[in-house]
Amino acid sequence: MKASIILFALSVAFTKASPSAPSANLEVRGSASTECCDPSLAVAFLRAYQPTYVDHFYTTDVNEMNNAVTNLGYSPEGVAAYVFATAEPSTTSLYRMYNPSVVDHFYTTSYSEVQSAAANSGYTYEGVAAYVYDINICGSIPLYRLYSSGGTDHFYTTSASEASNAVANLGYTSEGIAAYVLPVQ
């Protein structure tokens, strides 16, 4: 199973990593604009969990999610939020990283954090997972970022109570707000 997950990660890295990655000395953090995006352009940010390796996985790609569920032991957990599949006014890239050694997906809007995770923590850049707001505008809500050092898992949720429960009872530490996303209706 671990080999399957590693092969999945490698296949995703080859298909997702692209020349569109920002240059190494460019910090991409959205725009100065506060223009609202057309919410009808938002797509589901799907969430799944792999209990054997303690990994939360998020994607906008239904086929990628189906593969993770069907072949890699992930359990679907529904729609985490709504995000944008392409760059829209006022959005910033939400980058996806993967560490095959510890089976952890990691998402951030900070390209310098991407560089650091790749250089120092064994993560591989997998591309842009989605486009999100980096400030609270246009009816967006926080996407909380949490980390479990015991499970080596990054976990993201829009639910403040779920985040609080993960900290109080499941060994996670809050790492603040990763981004702002549109709520599930």
Side-chain angles (χ1 to χ4, degrees), residues 9-23:
L10 290 174
S11 71
V12 169
F14 284 109
T15 59
K16 293 263 181 182
S18 68
S20 65
S23 70

Side-chain angles (χ1 to χ4, degrees), residues 44-104:
F45 197 43
L46 305 170
R47 175 174 134 178
Y49 178 69
Q50 213 297 349
T52 304
Y53 298 107
V54 189
D55 182 43
H56 283 89
F57 174 63
Y58 305 80
T59 184
T60 59
D61 185 332
V62 172
N63 292 324
E64 186 178 40
M65 180 58 71
N66 288 340
N67 182 62
V69 169
T70 303
N71 300 315
L72 303 173
Y74 284 81
S75 298
E77 295 188 329
V79 177
Y82 282 88
V83 295
F84 299 93
T86 58
E88 299 294 333
S90 304
T91 64
T92 191
S93 301
L94 181 65
Y95 302 106
R96 185 169 93 189
M97 303 285 292
Y98 180 71
N99 184 326
S101 299
V102 296
V103 187
D104 180 45

Side-chain angles (χ1 to χ4, degrees), residues 141-165:
I141 58 174
L143 180 66
Y144 300 103
R145 179 171 123 182
L146 301 105
Y147 180 70
S148 169
S149 58
T152 316
D153 180 45
H154 284 89
F155 172 47
Y156 303 80
T157 181
T158 59
S159 168
S161 62
E162 185 177 37
S164 294
N165 181 63

